[in-house]
Amino acid sequence: NAGVMQNPRHLVRRRGQEARLRCSPMKGHSHVYWYRQLPEEGLKFMVYLQKENIIDESGMPKERFSAEFPKEGPSILRIQQVVRGDSAAYFCASSPRAGSNYEQFFGPGTRLTVL
Amino acid sequence: GQQVMQIPQYQHVQEGEDFTTYCNSSTTLSNIQWYKQRPGGHPVFLIQLVKSGEVKKQKRLTFQFGEAKKNSSLHITATQTTDVGTYFCGPGNTPLVFGKGTRLSVIA
């Protein structure tokens, strides 16, 4: 049973370009979460999605960031017009259901570097 | 949402010494989850505590949930270099809201 997959593992972008980060949850998991981790800091929640729906995007910056989880295919976190401050590790996690009794399984992360 | 504070932020120990990290909340938690992140790695689930006063052990790791369900601790006995990493706690809600973590370094 493959774990959570993320690609690319490393992404380099120049300021102003777009970054697309992909996450395939574990088989049977329909809940996906995105987190951002700045260097030497903790994990910060960004957005929670269920198939075709955004459930909670309270941690998403208001501009330039968007996320989707289509009926078919991976979840995508999209960052438009990247700036140096977007450089971070972006982790995706999945769970089979929502609620307080379910652990989250994390992917290996995408390390984004903005030049 | 519920927030937790973790202390200490950093801990350096000699190999073989014990280590404890604490997780504190101002509100009562329904449960708490602990995760470990190795340097350069991703968070990995360790355990979930649900009951007041609950104690769970995993080899050299002992997890406790306070009687009031407002705090939790992780104690590692006789640390090894494989214990190096950052330990995060957070209410097991959806989504997870982690504390800032305790970064453990072990000096061989």
Side-chain angles (χ1 to χ4, degrees):
Chain A
N1 188 7
V4 178
M5 294 194 289
Q6 288 187 250
N7 67 79
R9 295 288 300 276
H10 299 274
L11 182 61
V12 179
R13 285 287 178 266
R14 296 191 180 279
R15 279 179 296 170
Q17 290 184 319
E18 179 180 286
R20 282 193 181 223
L21 287 60
R22 293 174 191 77
C23 168
S24 295
M26 283 184 73
K27 189 176 180 181
H29 289 194
S30 58
H31 298 257
V32 165
Y33 317 84
W34 285 93
Y35 297 85
R36 177 164 64 175
Q37 187 172 40
L38 294 168
E40 309 297 316
E41 292 196 12
L43 289 149
K44 185 182 174 190
F45 164 75
M46 297 182 75
V47 62
Y48 160 37
L49 309 106
Q50 204 178 346
K51 280 286 186 183
E52 300 185 276
N53 292 307
I54 295 175
I55 308 300
D56 182 347
E57 57 181 347
S58 57
M60 285 275 270
K62 293 282 186 280
E63 296 176 352
R64 301 188 298 107
F65 285 72
S66 61
E68 61 176 12
F69 189 15
K71 189 176 180 181
E72 301 291 337
S75 174
I76 295 175
L77 179 67
R78 183 181 176 208
I79 312 172
Q80 294 178 289
Q81 300 175 331
V82 296
V83 300
R84 288 222 173 102
D86 296 333
S87 294
Y90 292 83
F91 292 97
C92 155
S94 73
S95 66
R97 291 184 183 84
S100 59
N101 289 325
Y102 298 97
E103 68 179 271
Q104 293 188 12
F105 294 83
F106 283 80
T110 293
R111 270 80 178 168
L112 172 66
T113 302
V114 179
L115 301 176
Chain B
Q2 292 174 317
Q3 302 259 337
V4 293
M5 298 288 292
Q6 275 188 263
I7 52 171
Q9 197 172 349
Y10 302 95
Q11 185 78 58
H12 307 279
V13 299
Q14 288 284 146
E15 191 173 20
E17 290 182 340
D18 292 355
F19 158 76
T20 305
T21 174
Y22 300 91
C23 185
N24 300 310
S25 171
S26 58
T27 58
T28 302
L29 304 172
S30 57
N31 62 59
I32 196 154
Q33 295 184 354
W34 285 90
Y35 290 74
K36 176 185 177 182
Q37 184 178 21
R38 293 180 189 272
H42 59 276
V44 174
F45 175 80
L46 292 176
I47 209 157
Q48 174 168 281
L49 304 170
V50 179
K51 299 177 184 174
S52 167
E54 188 170 15
V55 177
K56 287 188 177 179
K57 292 193 175 186
Q58 291 179 353
K59 297 183 180 177
R60 293 179 295 105
L61 277 61
T62 302
F63 301 84
Q64 288 190 305
F65 201 10
E67 293 290 341
K69 300 182 74 173
K70 287 186 175 182
N71 51 63
S72 180
S73 65
L74 158 59
H75 179 83
I76 303 178
T77 304
T79 55
Q80 300 175 358
T81 54
T82 53
D83 296 324
V84 165
T86 303
Y87 293 85
F88 293 99
C89 69
N93 298 328
T94 300
L96 285 171
V97 179
F98 289 101
K100 289 192 174 181
T102 295
R103 182 170 301 169
L104 172 65
S105 59
V106 178
I107 305 161

